[in-house]
Amino acid sequence: MDYFPLFIDLKNKNCLVVGAGEVAARKIELLAKAGAIITVVAPEISNNVTQLAANNPKLEIIQKDFSPEDIAQQRLIISATNQATINALVAETADTHNIPVNVVDNPGLCSFIVPAIIDRSPVIAAVSSGGTSPVLARLLRAKLESLIPPAFGRMAQLAEKYRALVKEKINPPAQRRIFWEKILQGSIAELFYSGKEAEAEARLKDAILNSPDKLDNTGEVYLVGAGPGDPDLLTFRALRLMQQADVVVYDRLVSDGILELVRRDAEKIYVGKQRDNHSLAQESINELLARLAKSGKRVVRLKGGDPFIFGRGGEEIETLVEQNINFQVVPGITAASGCATYAGIPLTHRDHAQSCTFITGHLKDNTVNLNWQQLAVPRQTIVIYMGLVGLEIICKSMIQYGAAADLPIALIQQGTTHNQRVITGTLSTLPDKLKNQSIHAPTLFIIGTVVSLHNTLKWFQADSTPEEY
C-alpha cells in the first residue's frame, strides 16, 4: 500500500493554497466544502478565485509571491502553481515543518494526495491511483457514483439517530450487524430512497422496539424503464435496483446488453409479448408481480423504453396498490426520444415542428382508429409505436385526410443499438419500399419534415447494414 488512506477534519482549521489559477480554484472549493479557513497566496489571482473569496468569509487572498513564512500555523498546504521552483520550495518548507503538503500533478513532492471523492455526507468515499493516473481514479469514481444513491448520506444520518437505541435493544454485536444489514439493504432503505422518509423512519423505529429479530421481510416491486436498447442510457437508479433484485420479470424489448447488468444470481422470468403471441396475459403478469413481492422477493419489472408510455405500467401498479405492496417507478428513456436522437432526427425544431404526438399503430379489426384530421395537420412530428403491421393503413389515411403524399417518414429498426437501421421515404413510397425488406422488431416510425434533417444530423454509427433512403 503506497499511501495510507486517511480522512482529516479541517473544519475551522487553517489551510494554505499557493497559486490562484483554475486548478487552485478547484482545490479551494474542496477545502471550502470541508469547512477550512483558507489563505491563498499568489501574485496573480484568477476571476474564479476572486469570486470564491467574495462568497466565503473564511477565504483570504494575499496577493504576493510565496515565502516560507507563509506556512505559519497551517494544518495543510496545497501548491497549485505552474512554476517548478515555487512548488519545490513549498514542498521543502512544508516537509521541514511536518505539515502535510500536496503539489498538484507532482506526486514526488507530495506527502499526501487528493483522491477522487464521492460525497454523500456524512458518508464519504474516496478513490486514488496513488497519483499515477488521476483520470483512472475519476473513472472509478464515476462507476461508484452510479451505485450510491444521492440520499445515502441522509440514510446514514437516520442510522446515527437510532444507533444508541439499536445498541440498547439488540445484543450481541453480531445480531446488531445483521439487523443493520437488513435495514440498509431492504425495504426500509428503499422507502427512504424513494422519498418516503417519514414512513421509513417509522418502520425503522417499530422494527427496533417491537420485532428486531423478526424484521419485516415483505418484498417490493420496482417498475423500471430499460430505455430503447443501449445500456448506457439506463439511469443510475435503474442500474442500482437491477443489481439488488431477487427476481427480474422482463419484456421482449429489453436488450441482451441490459439483461447482462442484472444481478448474476437473480431469477429471470420472461413475459414478453409478440403480436398474437403473448407468453403471459397482462392480468397474469400483474398477479405474478404481486405474488413474488408477497413471498418476500425484491422484484424488478423491467420494461423496454418508459413504463408509462405504451408500457402498461399503470395497469401493473394498480394491482400493487390494491394489494398494498410497496413499489417504485423508475422512468426510462422512451423509444421516441432515444431512437430519434440516435437517428439524428429532432422531434421538435423551430423550422419544422412545434409539437410532437406519440401514437400506437396497433391494428384492431384490421384498422387503426385514430384522430386522422389532427394527425394530418402540418408542422408537427408524429411518432408511431408498434406500427409496422398497420403502416400502409396509417400512410393512406394521413394522405386521405390532407397530409402531403411526399411528407417524409422514417423507419428506425432496433434504435440505439449496434443493429440500428434507418430507412426513410415518404407517406406514398415507404410502405412499398418495406415490402421486400427483412425488418426486425423493435421498430419505430417518425413522420414529419424533421425527418429531412436525418442526413445532416445523423451521428451514431451502427454496425448493421447501411441505411436506405
Side-chain angles (χ1 to χ4, degrees):
M1 185 164 60
D2 294 332
Y3 287 87
F4 182 76
L6 184 71
F7 292 89
I8 183 170
D9 181 7
L10 292 179
K11 288 185 179 64
N12 296 315
K13 301 298 191 297
N14 293 322
C15 295
L16 174 67
V17 177
V18 181
E22 300 308 311
V23 174
R26 292 196 292 271
K27 305 304 180 184
I28 291 167
E29 287 179 322
L30 285 176
L31 293 173
K33 288 182 70 175
I37 299 172
I38 308 165
T39 300
V40 177
V41 172
E44 297 181 4
I45 312 298
S46 69
N47 290 334
N48 278 357
V49 174
T50 300
Q51 188 62 44
L52 290 172
N55 296 321
N56 185 354
K58 292 184 178 181
L59 199 165
E60 179 187 7
I61 295 176
I62 302 176
Q63 192 165 358
K64 72 176 192 66
D65 291 322
F66 169 78
S67 62
E69 293 76 19
D70 295 324
I71 70 165
Q73 308 301 317
Q74 301 297 336
R75 176 64 61 87
L76 180 145
I77 300 172
I78 295 177
S79 184
T81 80
N82 57 4
Q83 299 180 48
T85 54
I86 294 297
N87 289 336
L89 177 61
V90 172
E92 180 183 354
T93 307
D95 184 61
T96 300
H97 292 80
N98 293 316
I99 301 173
V101 62
N102 173 266
V103 178
V104 176
D105 291 334
N106 195 332
L109 294 178
C110 296
S111 61
F112 77 93
I113 54 179
V114 180
I117 297 169
I118 301 97
D119 187 359
R120 300 290 188 270
S121 295
V123 176
I124 303 292
V127 179
S128 172
S129 65
T132 59
S133 179
V135 172
L136 177 60
R138 289 199 295 271
L139 291 174
L140 291 173
R141 180 193 68 184
K143 291 183 181 295
L144 292 174
E145 290 275 10
S146 70
L147 300 176
I148 304 175
F152 207 77
R154 297 199 306 278
M155 186 69 193
Q157 291 173 336
L158 179 66
E160 172 64 22
K161 181 177 178 180
Y162 287 94
R163 183 179 178 185
L165 184 59
V166 170
K167 188 174 183 179
E168 175 188 337
K169 296 290 183 180
I170 304 176
N171 274 303
Q175 291 184 359
R176 287 201 298 272
R177 176 184 59 78
I178 293 171
F179 174 83
W180 279 121
E181 285 177 351
K182 289 182 176 180
I183 290 294
L184 297 174
Q185 298 180 92
S187 59
I188 289 177
E190 285 304 328
L191 278 173
F192 194 91
Y193 298 149
S194 61
K196 300 177 181 177
E197 297 186 9
E199 183 180 350
E201 182 171 358
R203 286 183 55 185
L204 171 59
K205 189 173 182 180
D206 180 69
I208 297 169
L209 296 176
N210 300 318
S211 57
D213 58 339
K214 298 178 181 178
L215 190 62
D216 181 14
N217 287 320
T218 301
E220 54 194 332
V221 176
Y222 315 132
L223 190 61
V224 174
D230 185 348
D232 281 350
L233 299 180
L234 282 171
T235 65
F236 286 165
R237 181 184 288 262
L239 182 60
R240 176 173 60 82
L241 295 177
M242 287 163 57
Q243 293 182 342
Q244 72 180 37
D246 302 306
V247 183
V248 176
V249 180
Y250 67 99
D251 280 348
R252 181 174 63 99
L253 298 182
V254 176
S255 70
D256 291 341
I258 288 174
L259 283 175
E260 283 293 319
L261 299 176
V262 169
R263 198 177 98 191
R264 293 296 180 191
D265 58 342
E267 180 184 2
K268 299 180 182 68
I269 301 175
Y270 175 70
V271 294
K273 299 183 181 72
Q274 291 177 292
R275 181 174 174 80
D276 301 324
N277 181 19
H278 294 185
S279 64
L280 210 59
Q282 185 61 54
E283 293 75 14
S284 298
I285 295 174
N286 301 348
E287 290 301 324
L288 172 66
L289 298 176
R291 185 170 68 253
L292 289 169
K294 286 181 176 179
S295 70
K297 304 291 187 181
R298 293 172 293 184
V299 185
V300 160
R301 174 65 171 110
L302 197 56
K303 305 175 76 70
D306 182 275
F308 276 10
I309 298 180
F310 301 127
R312 306 186 78 167
E315 299 174 39
E316 294 179 355
I317 64 173
E318 282 176 348
T319 300
L320 303 177
V321 171
E322 291 169 0
Q323 301 191 33
N324 197 31
I325 295 170
N326 287 326
F327 66 89
Q328 297 181 39
V329 181
V330 182
I333 294 178
T334 187
S337 177
C339 296
T341 300
Y342 274 53
I345 302 174
L347 294 178
T348 62
H349 189 284
R350 185 170 57 180
D351 297 329
H352 294 270
Q354 283 71 53
S355 66
C356 181
T357 301
F358 297 171
I359 64 173
T360 175
H362 260 320
L363 283 177
K364 184 176 182 180
D365 300 326
N366 293 318
T367 189
V368 183
N369 297 314
L370 295 169
N371 186 342
W372 298 114
Q373 288 182 325
Q374 178 182 329
L375 296 177
V377 172
R379 301 189 67 77
Q380 64 173 324
T381 303
I382 309 297
V383 180
I384 308 171
Y385 291 71
M386 299 165 284
L388 186 59
V389 175
L391 178 65
E392 189 167 357
I393 295 174
I394 292 170
C395 291
K396 286 182 177 179
S397 298
M398 288 195 65
I399 293 171
Q400 178 184 344
Y401 281 85
D406 62 354
L407 185 64
I409 178 172
L411 162 73
I412 305 173
Q413 171 188 283
Q414 298 181 329
T416 78
T417 74
H418 63 90
N419 291 320
Q420 175 175 294
R421 183 183 179 195
V422 180
I423 304 175
T424 62
T426 66
L427 291 180
S428 63
T429 65
L430 190 63
D432 287 337
K433 181 183 281 191
L434 297 183
K435 286 181 179 178
N436 297 321
Q437 299 282 347
S438 177
I439 306 298
H440 303 284
T443 60
L444 188 87
F445 292 93
I446 300 177
I447 302 174
T449 59
V450 289
V451 173
S452 65
L453 300 173
H454 163 67
N455 285 336
T456 303
L457 303 183
K458 62 180 180 181
W459 60 272
F460 177 66
Q461 183 64 48
D463 299 333
S464 61
T465 56
E467 297 167 343
E468 300 175 44
Y469 304 99

